Amino acid sequence: MSKKKNKKVKDKEKKELKLKKSDKKKKKKVKQQKKETKAIDSVKKVTQSDVYKTFNRLVSLVNKMSNEPVMFNGNSYHNAELKAIDIISKYQPISTANLANKLKVTRSAVLKTINKLIHKGLIEKQKSKENGRIFEFKLTQEGNDFIVASLDFKTIEEDSVMNALNQMSEKELAYFNDALERILINLIN
């Protein structure tokens, strides 16, 4: 056989091999989709009441997690303190008025929170360089350490949610997302 014919035969064999691989992938994908559909179809009958109960359990857990104090270096930090630390870390140095505005609370509420955070050593108070009558607040080193630790905690929370979502098929994720979107729309309206 000539080299041209030999090359044509090899090219043809390569194309056939690629087609076989492509067919295998398609068959595997179809098989997976059938499996997912079967899994969804074989799920036990669920009533609206069952879904409502599960949703309430999820909301209760999220509320409980957001209302529980966070422990750091032997101190507990409540939701108001956590929000204040977050805002201060983003806008430091920040005045009492600006902090109250960003948190959408009164100055007196902010002052109570600020005093707790100063006492716990996470923030420090300093006079404004522009206006000596105004005090501003910024994080201490311990406050910066707290921010880093809280980011680690958020990552752990996000990882556990993502692990649960990663166990769902694309179709299940689409159904779940659609259901959540519908619930949100109804709650908003």
Side-chain angles (χ1 to χ4, degrees), residues 6 25 35 49 55 57 61 77 90 104 114 158 168:
N6 196 13
K25 285 181 183 178
K35 192 177 180 182
S49 177
F55 182 74
R57 284 180 31 223
L61 180 61
Y77 298 90
K90 291 176 183 168
K104 296 177 175 62
I114 283 172
E158 289 169 5
M168 297 175 144

Side-chain angles (χ1 to χ4, degrees), residues 91-171:
Y91 300 99
Q92 59 185 321
I94 188 169
S95 69
T96 309
N98 286 339
L99 183 57
N101 185 31
K102 295 207 180 289
L103 291 171
K104 296 177 175 62
V105 296
T106 64
R107 285 185 187 191
S108 62
V110 164
L111 285 171
K112 286 179 186 178
T113 302
I114 283 172
N115 287 331
K116 289 178 186 177
L117 293 174
I118 290 171
H119 179 73
K120 292 176 181 179
L122 294 189
I123 64 171
E124 61 187 14
K125 181 176 169 178
Q126 63 187 27
K127 283 192 175 188
S128 169
K129 291 176 182 161
E130 286 120 32
N131 184 345
R133 295 179 298 153
I134 296 175
F135 285 100
E136 296 177 325
F137 305 92
K138 68 177 192 169
L139 296 179
T140 61
Q141 183 57 49
E142 190 171 349
N144 286 317
D145 294 344
F146 178 86
I147 292 293
V148 171
S150 68
L151 290 175
D152 289 344
F153 178 73
K154 285 179 186 174
T155 302
I156 291 168
E157 272 184 347
E158 289 169 5
D159 287 350
S160 56
V161 171
M162 290 306 293
N163 285 337
L165 294 175
N166 285 334
Q167 294 174 16
M168 297 175 144
S169 68
E170 284 184 32
K171 197 171 187 178

Side-chain angles (χ1 to χ4, degrees), residues 177-189:
N177 190 59
D178 184 54
L180 290 175
E181 288 288 338
R182 288 181 191 186
I183 291 168
L184 284 171
I185 289 168
N186 284 314
L187 288 173
I188 291 169
N189 294 333

Side-chain angles (χ1 to χ4, degrees), residues 58-76:
L58 177 63
V59 169
S60 294
L61 180 61
V62 169
N63 284 337
K64 182 180 177 189
M65 288 171 64
S66 67
N67 289 328
E68 279 188 13
V70 172
M71 296 301 292
F72 181 75
N73 285 352
N75 290 315
S76 63

